Amino acid sequence: MSLKLFELVGTDASRPFSPFCWRTRMALAHKGLAAESLPWRFTEKSVIAPHGSEKVPVLLHHDKPVVDSWAIANYLEDNFPNQPSLFGGEGGRAMARMINAWGDIAIVGGIFPLIVADIPNNLAEVDAAYFRQSREARFGGKTLEEVMASRDAGVVTFRKSLEVMRQTLKKQPFIGGSAPNYADYIVFGGFQWARVTSPFKLLEADDPVYAWREKLLDAFDGMARKSPGHPVQAS
């Protein structure tokens, strides 16, 4: 297979969970491309170091590495021009760049403290220890459990942060318009990360964002929904 994808897993190699790897998974499906999955874990940095990265996703195309989900999306768009477009033109690519930053900060950053202490439950002991040590250092020495202790209040703030997206989805079914594009996959990656790693309910059933997530879970013959994870019934 000419395409191979290093993606983050825990004890279950069939359960990829990185939000950034899910952006790439959805982008590949959108393009109608298949990639061999290469399971990778937090403490296996030496495996991808020869490809110039210490994080995933790393895409190999005929063994040429492409590093970082945004770079991969652009590579797929430019190198497979006869496949469906991820951006719908240069204007769409430019707007997706902004969504990419918003996805990192508001979505991944907003969800992280709501699920952080659940993530080690998916990891082998050595990876859980690495995750705990490195992430607790980011939070100034707070334990993961301390960070997550206020999540019932935190999720209310997170839901409020989605209002711009919510207002958009009241006017159109996807961020990309009448059909999903890479802007949708950027945001969806964070929600899929949460679904795979944590039973915590992020959205209420009457939220347009909930309906949007349902559509993307069912996209590409239910690829994301079929991937092992927790139920997503709303609170």
Side-chain angles (χ1 to χ4, degrees), residues 39-63:
W40 179 88
R41 296 165 180 85
F42 282 117
T43 54
E44 296 176 340
K45 296 187 184 299
S46 63
V47 174
I48 56 175
H51 301 302
S53 184
E54 59 176 23
K55 298 177 181 179
V56 290
V58 174
L59 181 73
L60 302 181
H61 183 209
H62 298 302
D63 295 324

Side-chain angles (χ1 to χ4, degrees), residues 80-101:
F80 297 92
N82 296 326
Q83 303 298 107
S85 175
L86 288 168
F87 303 115
E90 287 307 304
R93 192 192 306 240
M95 286 187 284
R97 184 176 289 109
M98 187 278 289
I99 297 292
N100 199 67

Side-chain angles (χ1 to χ4, degrees), residues 60-142:
L60 302 181
H61 183 209
H62 298 302
D63 295 324
K64 172 189 175 181
V66 188
V67 176
D68 177 79
S69 58
W70 176 252
I72 291 170
N74 282 276
Y75 182 87
L76 295 176
E77 186 77 344
D78 295 336
N79 286 271
F80 297 92
N82 296 326
Q83 303 298 107
S85 175
L86 288 168
F87 303 115
E90 287 307 304
R93 192 192 306 240
M95 286 187 284
R97 184 176 289 109
M98 187 278 289
I99 297 292
N100 199 67
W102 184 75
D104 291 350
I105 296 166
I107 302 300
V108 175
I111 291 173
F112 190 56
L114 308 178
I115 66 170
V116 64
D118 291 331
I119 293 174
N121 298 332
N122 300 274
L123 308 177
E125 185 176 352
V126 64
D127 295 301
Y130 165 82
F131 181 84
R132 181 174 290 277
Q133 181 181 20
S134 59
R135 274 50 179 184
E136 287 180 352
R138 293 184 189 178
F139 287 106
K142 285 186 177 181

Side-chain angles (χ1 to χ4, degrees), residues 7-43:
E7 47 189 352
L8 180 64
V9 301
T11 53
D12 183 351
S14 69
R15 194 178 181 121
F17 65 88
S18 161
F20 307 105
C21 291
W22 270 101
R23 293 178 187 180
T24 298
R25 273 195 157 218
M26 299 294 281
L28 285 164
H30 183 102
K31 282 285 190 182
L33 300 171
E36 178 186 352
S37 177
L38 302 177
W40 179 88
R41 296 165 180 85
F42 282 117
T43 54

